[in-house]
Amino acid sequence: TTRSWDFLGLEHNGFVPKSSLWKKARYGENAIIGNLDTGVWPESKSFSDEELGPIPPKWKGICQKGLDSSFHCNRKLIGARYFNKGYGAAAGPLNSTFDSPRDNEGHGSHTLSTASGNFVPAANVFGFGNGTAKGGSPRARVAAYKVCWPPIDGNECFDADILAAFDIAIHDGVDVLSVSLGGSPAPFFNDSVAIGSFHAIKHGIVVVCSGGNSGPADATVSNVAPWEITVGASTMDREFPSYVILGNKKSFKGQSLSAKALQIGKFYPLVSALDAKAANASAADALLCKPATLDPKKVTGKILVCLRGQNARVDKGQQALEAGAVGMILANNELTGNEIIADPHVLPASHINYNDGINVFTYINSTKSPKGYITPATTKLGTKPAPFMAAFSSKGPNTVTPEILKPDITAPGVSIIAAYTEAQGPTNEEFDKRRISFNSISGTSMSCPHVSGIVGLLKTLHPDWSPAAIKSAIMTTARTRDNQMEPLLNSSNFKATPFSYGAGHVNPNGAMDPGLVYDLSFNDYLNFLCALRYNATQIEMFSEKPYKCSKKISLTNLNYPSITVPKLSGSIAVTRTLKNVGTPGTYRARVENQAGISVSVEPKSLKFKRVGEEKSFTLTLKAKNPKAAKDYAFGKLIWSDGTHYVRSPIVVKAA
Amino acid sequence: TPTFAIKKSYVVYLGAHSHGPDFSPLLDSERVTQSHYEFLGSFLGSHEVAKEALFYSYTRHINGFAATLEEEVAAEIANHPRVISVFLNKGRKLH
């Protein structure tokens, strides 16, 4: 990506300071990052193997070319496989083009290069966002596991293939698995990603998953197992402004990556998609500029104003162009609020927020001959506030185990520029014949590999840390303030909560030295399953040996880096254990309280004399009165020795 | 008139393998796959029918298989004490 690592503090204007996790972790040297996705475009410069040494000897994977003789691996892209039998079971017989790990969609190349692409100078999208593209672990090796194919009823990746890929990836020897896909939350052992990642962490593999794009509604987060790192999406300090100027001289700042621009200074007739409705189309569909809903006679030569639905990245531009529009204004609905996304449209276009959209529609409805203009897009850095949560980013609470806060963390996931397939145009629209090496896309799919890349760095720096220790380090060092030192906001300018950002915005330099971690072993997860009432016979099927559930089991006492009590009745004592992974020191507890809940910590200080030493504490939560915290209340626990700040969100709701 | 039950694809999850440290991908995988055929065959009536229905045998770390089954057979398999879960091979979305 060309900006996000700077925004995350790993570099500054291309300069990498000695204190950067990149330098300390040798850019993720020899970590192996696997990606379950749409495959990979092997010709991308992000995956060239210049200056890389031999493939790590522990690697047991293969380059499964299938029937694609042009596909190749190298010392960077050390493995590729494809899994299509589960897809075939749903789709019917598959032709020979399905026998390849090649990425014909773009998503897999984008996510894999975000996690671990090489440095590639002069990467940009039609000149916008120009910079050196970099992955989070640029010197790590990568392996692509293609499990996603053209959609069937909107779904691309099937459980049977996902499970097959996990099974083989564990065997191949990956250190990190990046999984930017998901479905509706289900009990853990009816969920292929939860099952696969459960087996992966047993072998020390960290699994990073996207939380989903079903926000901003509550309880929409997916990939909610406690052994997964679940990632939300937020913005960074880069914009691609393109102004919408109306005939009444009002102007609104939108976002765009349109390669084409309108004739400078010329105003064009403006038409609402609703007014351009085809005779047989519904008003609601026309307003969204859905296929075959627009009347070309009403659109030709005009700037068309379309309403955005849940998904910004649909073929509205193609519909507008086909109907004869010269430009398009994409206006948010109320739910998507202020979240505006720069996309590479097929015509001059600008995406504007909800309030500005209302102004544009009001102007059209109140003017006899409405006119407008869209200024060419530009690249602007250092914007404020940043980050703020993306409206699309799925939110907690966790619907499977509400005692585990999800998502765990947020990372950049809006307008991310990374490698792309050259089998598709940048809009993935049918008649977009353009081909570009790098593209800008948005989603929790894009934030997930940022965290995967950071995990790769931590794996190189701390090879002895467990997956839970790495997750704890990432979570307890996260930030909950933006670049104006104000609390993180959502896309409607309200204060966001841990249900949006988990522990906060990822802070890679902090994660390399967290001081203390909340560690978990595989047995702790088995105890967690005991608490979910899996019986001894079932637990033995995972543990491969007799396993006895300990007597005192409670879901709230899983040694998780965040603390969630969804049904507080009276008071509850929650226990946690901290492990020293830093220097000897005395840590003191501080609680940022939440309305209606009293929180006390015992003991209030913990003295660590050596590395690896573990100390436990109890956090007692009490509702101040029966009416307190009827809705979720949010606070924070911070352990600090004056140098390290080990932060945990506290989320409580009274029963 | 014969009626045909609708078949769907399912994942049958059996937990973990207890391969020893000298796991041989070729030999042990083959042994595991045969055991999956046998297990499924006990519900479908024969090893051969099982071979036709089963399209993935997870042999390395995850113990389980994916097969095309009738709903009633899937429900029957789910009740077997060796089985942790049986679930539909559903589609998931890219995020």
Side-chain angles (χ1 to χ4, degrees):
Chain A
T1 73
T2 59
R3 177 66 184 172
S4 51
W5 304 112
D6 189 305
F7 183 62
L8 291 170
L10 290 176
E11 59 176 343
H12 186 64
N13 290 335
F15 172 73
V16 183
K18 269 186 184 172
S19 57
S20 164
L21 175 59
W22 264 349
K23 282 236 166 111
K24 299 268 185 191
R26 305 186 302 283
Y27 297 90
E29 188 177 84
N30 289 345
I32 302 173
I33 300 181
N35 193 33
L36 269 58
D37 212 301
T38 59
V40 63
W41 189 257
E43 291 82 7
S44 168
K45 284 181 183 170
S46 290
F47 307 119
S48 78
D49 64 358
E50 286 163 35
E51 296 176 31
L52 280 176
I55 292 168
K58 71 166 188 167
W59 179 244
K60 290 196 264 178
I62 60 164
C63 190
Q64 185 189 14
K65 294 180 176 193
L67 297 178
D68 185 347
S69 57
S70 67
F71 191 91
H72 61 271
C73 294
N74 57 26
R75 294 190 310 274
K76 175 73 181 176
L77 175 62
I78 60 175
R81 298 182 188 257
Y82 60 91
F83 303 86
N84 60 22
K85 291 178 190 170
Y87 177 80
L94 305 177
N95 64 34
S96 61
T97 60
F98 286 86
D99 288 326
S100 165
R102 182 174 287 280
D103 176 16
N104 293 316
E105 205 277 347
H107 191 279
S109 305
H110 198 279
T111 52
L112 191 55
S113 66
T114 299
S116 181
N118 289 323
F119 281 30
V120 184
N124 59 69
V125 180
F126 304 123
F128 302 114
N130 187 52
T132 299
K134 296 156 190 173
S137 280
R139 290 187 71 81
R141 316 303 172 107
V142 297
Y145 297 88
K146 180 167 179 165
V147 296
C148 304
W149 306 90
I152 301 172
D153 297 331
N155 295 308
E156 297 100 342
C157 331
F158 282 76
D159 284 319
D161 297 326
I162 292 167
L163 214 49
F166 266 107
D167 194 35
I168 292 288
I170 299 167
H171 167 80
D172 285 351
V174 300
D175 296 305
V176 186
L177 274 172
S178 198
V179 185
S180 285
L181 56 90
S184 305
F188 296 137
F189 294 113
N190 286 2
D191 173 343
S192 58
V193 178
I195 295 171
S197 49
F198 184 69
H199 287 267
I201 59 120
K202 191 176 174 186
H203 293 85
I205 299 163
V206 183
V207 182
V208 187
C209 300
S210 49
N213 303 336
S214 303
D218 286 340
T220 47
V221 63
S222 60
N223 294 324
V224 294
W227 44 85
E228 298 162 351
I229 301 180
T230 311
V231 189
S234 39
T235 62
M236 55 180 157
D237 66 340
R238 181 179 62 189
E239 288 180 352
F240 300 100
S242 160
Y243 289 82
V244 169
I245 303 171
L246 303 181
N248 62 7
K249 295 193 178 159
K250 280 189 179 170
S251 72
F252 307 104
K253 189 170 87 174
Q255 301 277 332
S256 179
L257 285 173
S258 293
K260 292 177 183 168
L262 295 172
Q263 192 182 323
I264 299 286
K266 182 181 173 187
F267 278 67
Y268 294 82
L270 207 52
V271 63
S272 153
L274 188 63
D275 299 332
K277 184 176 91 68
N280 53 355
S282 82
D285 284 352
L287 191 57
L288 292 165
C289 295
K290 287 190 174 176
T293 62
L294 301 168
D295 181 349
K297 284 183 206 142
K298 299 171 183 170
V299 175
T300 301
K302 297 176 182 168
I303 295 173
L304 180 70
V305 188
C306 303
L307 187 69
R308 172 194 172 181
Q310 184 67 16
N311 185 0
R313 202 163 185 271
V314 289
D315 59 353
K316 294 181 199 300
Q318 179 167 333
Q319 301 311 319
L321 195 61
E322 276 181 357
V326 292
M328 178 181 72
I329 298 169
L330 186 61
N332 270 351
N333 60 18
E334 194 169 5
L335 265 183
T336 44
N338 285 338
E339 174 194 271
I340 47 179
I341 295 173
D343 275 327
H345 304 278
V346 288
L347 76 176
S350 183
H351 182 187
I352 58 175
N353 72 27
Y354 172 64
N355 286 330
D356 295 346
I358 287 179
N359 275 311
V360 172
F361 283 116
T362 306
Y363 166 71
I364 292 172
N365 293 336
S366 61
T367 310
K368 207 173 177 186
S369 304
K371 287 192 180 338
Y373 176 63
I374 301 169
T375 68
T378 56
T379 305
K380 195 179 165 199
L381 301 178
T383 59
K384 290 177 180 179
F388 63 83
M389 293 306 304
F392 62 72
S393 186
S394 292
K395 284 169 66 184
N398 176 342
T399 51
V400 179
T401 47
E403 296 81 1
I404 305 297
L405 178 67
K406 291 282 173 176
D408 294 302
I409 194 86
T410 185
V414 178
S415 300
I416 304 298
I417 295 177
Y420 211 62
T421 179
E422 292 187 36
Q424 286 277 345
T427 58
N428 286 45
E429 288 171 12
E430 198 187 315
F431 70 91
D432 188 353
K433 302 298 178 199
R434 302 170 296 179
R435 294 296 180 262
I436 54 176
S437 305
F438 291 86
N439 196 11
S440 170
I441 39 180
S442 301
T444 52
S445 275
M446 284 67 241
S447 56
C448 166
H450 277 87
V451 176
S452 306
I454 293 163
V455 170
L457 298 171
L458 294 175
K459 273 273 184 186
T460 301
L461 186 62
H462 300 295
D464 54 327
W465 283 9
S466 69
I470 288 175
K471 176 182 190 169
S472 176
I474 287 173
M475 287 175 66
T476 62
T477 56
R479 290 176 172 156
T480 54
R481 294 199 178 266
D482 61 24
N483 58 1
Q484 298 184 120
M485 292 310 287
E486 294 293 331
L488 288 184
L489 300 177
N490 64 22
S491 63
S492 300
N493 280 344
F494 293 110
K495 226 172 117 175
T497 74
F499 282 145
S500 290
Y501 56 67
H505 189 251
V506 69
N507 169 22
N509 288 334
M512 74 174 132
D513 181 22
L516 307 173
V517 292
Y518 294 93
D519 206 358
L520 284 164
S521 66
F522 188 68
N523 281 357
D524 291 311
Y525 292 122
L526 293 181
N527 278 337
F528 176 81
L529 295 177
C530 294
L532 287 176
R533 301 188 189 281
Y534 283 86
N535 64 38
T537 315
Q538 289 171 314
I539 303 274
E540 270 183 46
M541 290 183 194
F542 312 120
S543 63
E544 300 169 46
K545 55 190 173 192
Y547 188 82
K548 204 176 169 190
C549 293
S550 63
K551 278 183 187 166
K552 283 185 182 173
I553 303 165
S554 137
L555 292 174
T556 49
N557 284 339
L558 180 74
N559 201 34
Y560 211 72
S562 55
I563 296 159
T564 305
V565 179
K567 286 180 187 168
L568 176 64
S569 181
S571 73
I572 188 172
V574 177
T575 58
R576 289 287 187 273
T577 301
L578 282 161
K579 183 193 268 186
N580 184 21
V581 292
T583 48
T586 300
Y587 283 78
R588 289 187 174 76
R590 181 164 63 86
V591 173
E592 284 179 11
N593 250 334
Q594 44 221 341
I597 304 285
S598 80
V599 184
S600 62
V601 187
E602 207 53 53
K604 291 179 177 57
S605 78
L606 296 170
K607 190 172 183 180
F608 294 91
K609 291 177 185 161
R610 55 181 172 78
V611 173
E613 192 177 4
E614 293 188 324
K615 301 261 175 176
S616 296
F617 66 90
T618 303
L619 190 83
T620 304
L621 301 153
K622 198 173 173 184
K624 284 179 182 166
N625 65 61
K627 286 182 182 170
K630 270 196 164 175
D631 203 354
Y632 276 99
F634 306 97
K636 202 182 281 180
L637 168 67
I638 304 158
W639 286 96
S640 178
D641 62 353
T643 308
H644 304 95
Y645 294 85
V646 187
R647 305 180 196 95
S648 291
I650 304 174
V651 178
V652 186
K653 187 181 180 187
Chain B
T1 310
T3 53
F4 296 96
I6 295 170
K7 288 185 179 179
K8 290 178 181 168
S9 56
Y10 291 86
V11 172
V12 178
Y13 178 48
L14 305 168
H17 290 293
S18 44
H19 298 309
D22 44 357
F23 168 74
S24 150
L26 267 182
L27 291 175
D28 288 320
S29 291
E30 182 53 33
R31 181 183 54 76
V32 170
T33 303
Q34 289 304 326
S35 78
H36 289 157
Y37 288 149
E38 241 169 69
F39 179 77
L40 184 58
S42 69
F43 292 92
L44 298 181
S46 83
H47 191 274
E48 287 311 306
V49 179
K51 229 174 164 175
E52 220 166 81
L54 189 148
F55 58 90
Y56 273 124
S57 169
Y58 307 118
T59 63
R60 308 292 167 106
H61 300 277
I62 299 166
N63 189 2
F65 57 86
T68 306
L69 304 168
E70 290 172 11
E71 202 177 324
E72 292 73 19
V73 177
E76 211 184 316
I77 293 173
N79 286 327
H80 191 280
R82 263 184 69 193
V83 174
I84 291 176
S85 59
V86 176
F87 54 96
L88 274 170
N89 169 37
K90 291 186 300 294
R92 289 167 183 275
K93 288 179 196 303
L94 291 164
H95 282 159

